[in-house]
Amino acid sequence: MKIEAKGLDFTALNEMIKSSDGDCEINGCLGQRFIADGLGNGKVVINGIPGNALGAYLNGAEITVRGNAQDAVGDTMNDGKIVIHGSIGDTAGYAMRGGEIYVENNAGYRAGIHMKEYKGKKPVIVIGGRTGSFLGEYQAGGLIIVLGRNSDGKPTVGNFPCTGMHGGKMVIRGSVEDIRFPQQVTLRDATADDMAEIMPFLKNYCNYFDFDINELTEEKFTVITPDSRKPYKQMYVAN
């Protein structure tokens, strides 16, 4: 089903998406919010720029954006995939508890804030470029991968990453020497097991965005995890 979004408000647009009973392609999207919120199945292709909270509470559907996206992509996402052929705004994956988000280029502030794992669900965010400050703030679970492609000499990650991190894992490709991490996290070189864990997501990224996996894995990867000896875990995790 093809939907022309020009002139539609977000309520009307979402009603059409949910009544499509399957796959749909949206043309002329320009800032409509909450697109495909809570959608449990089907594939939604968006030509244009969706507004805030794209795929909020997504529950199994797959969203592809042929362009940039705004803030709060995948807010409280439960399952499914979101693939952005461009960059995204702030707070991507806020309180995300399942599913996968792939961003070809850059992300804004507070990506992965308060990500968490729930039973068998483990959320994943893959960011191809660089991120703004407060990456992984209060991260409680899940996996964040930052690849640092086309960083133009700038740090891969902005200021104050991993603030309050008390669960999950972050993996950063390339040098982390210019990034200041808090004391309550531990940095180490990625092991063969770490690489085996992230390889399916790296391959997905390369397939979605037509990139060479061999070139992507030439750089070293650094793993960041919370240090249970430091106080943040005790502040946020009940014994």
Side-chain angles (χ1 to χ4, degrees), residues 117 122 136 139-144 161-172 181-190 194 197 222-230 232-233:
E117 297 179 30
K122 183 175 181 177
Q139 185 180 353
L143 174 64
I144 300 173
C162 307
T163 300
M165 182 183 189
H166 53 281
K169 179 186 290 187
M170 187 180 297
V171 182
I172 298 177
F181 291 92
Q183 292 184 352
Q184 86 275 6
V185 300
T186 299
L187 279 70
R188 59 177 172 81
D189 291 344
D194 293 319
E197 178 186 4
T222 299
V223 175
I224 302 97
T225 52
D227 186 343
S228 61
R229 297 170 299 175
K230 301 294 174 64
Y232 274 114
K233 183 173 183 179

Side-chain angles (χ1 to χ4, degrees), residues 129-132 146-148 151 154-158 172-175 179:
R130 61 183 186 274
T131 74
V146 184
L147 302 176
S151 60
K154 299 178 181 178
T156 301
V157 174
I172 298 177
R173 172 178 173 266
S175 174
I179 305 170

Side-chain angles (χ1 to χ4, degrees), residues 172-220:
I172 298 177
R173 172 178 173 266
S175 174
V176 296
E177 292 181 359
D178 294 333
I179 305 170
R180 295 182 63 183
F181 291 92
Q183 292 184 352
Q184 86 275 6
V185 300
T186 299
L187 279 70
R188 59 177 172 81
D189 291 344
T191 64
D193 287 343
D194 293 319
M195 295 306 297
E197 178 186 4
I198 69 172
M199 188 58 70
F201 308 113
L202 299 182
K203 289 181 176 178
N204 283 346
Y205 177 90
C206 290
N207 289 335
Y208 290 138
F209 306 119
D210 193 25
F211 197 72
D212 185 353
I213 186 67
N214 294 317
E215 183 178 344
L216 194 67
T217 53
E218 284 177 351
E219 297 269 359
K220 81 164 193 173

Side-chain angles (χ1 to χ4, degrees), residues 8-49:
L8 295 178
D9 66 14
F10 71 90
T11 301
L13 177 56
N14 277 300
E15 286 176 354
M16 294 182 69
I17 293 170
K18 291 174 182 178
S19 67
S20 67
D21 194 29
D23 303 343
C24 63
E25 182 173 354
I26 302 169
N27 295 312
C29 185
L30 188 60
Q32 288 93 340
R33 297 173 290 165
F34 310 119
I35 291 178
D37 63 313
L39 201 64
N41 55 66
K43 295 183 178 181
V44 178
V45 176
I46 300 171
N47 299 310
I49 301 175

